[in-house]
Amino acid sequence: SPTTYYTEEQIQKMLETISDNNQQLRQGVIHMFYAGMRSYEILNLKPSWYEFTEDEAVEIEIPSEYAKGKKNSKEPEYCFLPVRFKEEIQNYILDQHDTEHDSFQDFIQETDTEDLNHLFDFIGDSDKDFRALARERYHLNKELEKVAEKSGINRAEKISAHRLRKSFIHHIYEGESQPNQ
């Protein structure tokens, strides 16, 4: 059967369907579809990977040990999110770390981001060993399937973190309006 690609309209419908109290899933969808991140990268994502500038995009530097195919390299990989998600991501980071800072800038200036926890934990287990990551990926995909079905997306049972990444790549490859515009 042909690979299923998701349109930006379908993803927007999913984002609208995700309840306000599930920002973790919302951010996961945004990172996979709009930046093309892999589930393994997302499940290990830490605030220190972000570079928030005034540019056109939010830069995410993926350390080489988490980048596919570059584990023996010292070169990181990079992903970029549209700047329109900048404030939402910053608020998510603040919420994940129960901070009392008034602004994201204050939080970053006063915090060593290298010591901060992972931003995603779909199973309530901060141990990021292979087994926990496999369980986490399973739960992430099940949550994606539920929200896709609730959104009325055809073939909702086929959605996965990997298919969201493939949809990002498909939009770029086909030269369609890229999802990160």
Side-chain angles (χ1 to χ4, degrees):
S1 88
T3 302
T4 302
Y5 297 109
Y6 299 97
T7 65
E8 185 165 13
E9 292 78 26
Q10 289 173 311
I11 299 305
Q12 283 301 315
K13 195 170 194 178
M14 280 181 62
L15 292 174
E16 291 166 10
T17 303
I18 296 171
S19 68
D20 287 340
N21 63 352
N22 197 346
Q23 288 301 307
Q24 176 174 252
L25 182 60
R26 179 179 169 79
Q27 287 304 312
V29 170
I30 288 169
H31 283 73
M32 288 178 282
F33 184 76
Y34 289 97
M37 291 184 75
R38 296 172 178 90
S39 59
Y40 180 76
E41 295 163 347
I42 287 170
L43 296 175
N44 284 291
L45 183 64
K46 289 189 164 199
S48 59
W49 295 13
Y50 289 99
E51 180 69 35
F52 294 102
T53 63
E54 300 303 318
D55 294 340
E56 294 296 314
V58 173
E59 182 178 304
I60 305 167
E61 181 179 321
I62 303 165
S64 59
E65 62 266 26
Y66 299 105
K68 184 176 181 178
K70 289 192 168 190
K71 299 203 181 344
N72 295 327
S73 170
K74 297 292 181 213
E75 296 298 317
E77 284 188 1
Y78 294 89
C79 292
F80 300 91
L81 277 168
V83 73
R84 72 177 188 253
F85 295 116
K86 177 181 174 180
E87 188 175 326
E88 184 177 338
I89 294 165
Q90 290 175 340
N91 288 334
Y92 177 71
I93 292 169
L94 290 174
D95 289 347
Q96 291 300 103
H97 292 91
D98 268 342
T99 180
E100 295 181 18
H101 290 87
D102 292 331
S103 74
F104 184 78
Q105 282 306 100
D106 291 346
F107 173 68
I108 292 301
Q109 288 175 349
E110 296 176 19
T111 307
D112 182 2
T113 58
E114 292 294 327
D115 294 335
L116 294 175
N117 296 332
H118 296 96
L119 291 175
F120 296 93
D121 185 1
F122 287 92
I123 59 172
D125 182 358
S126 61
D127 182 21
K128 295 288 183 174
D129 64 13
F130 179 79
R131 188 175 211 171
L133 284 168
R135 284 181 39 231
E136 233 181 323
R137 185 176 293 125
Y138 171 81
H139 286 282
L140 167 60
N141 287 330
K142 284 297 178 190
E143 284 192 46
L144 288 170
E145 185 179 325
K146 286 178 198 171
V147 78
E149 189 173 302
K150 196 174 178 182
S151 301
I153 292 176
N154 292 339
R155 300 179 71 192
E157 74 282 357
K158 297 287 187 187
I159 199 165
S160 67
H162 187 67
R163 288 196 187 224
L164 288 174
R165 174 178 162 70
K166 287 187 84 118
S167 294
F168 167 80
I169 293 166
H170 173 77
H171 289 288
I172 291 173
Y173 181 74
E174 293 297 318
E176 298 171 7
S177 64
Q178 294 178 10
N180 59 354
Q181 292 297 319

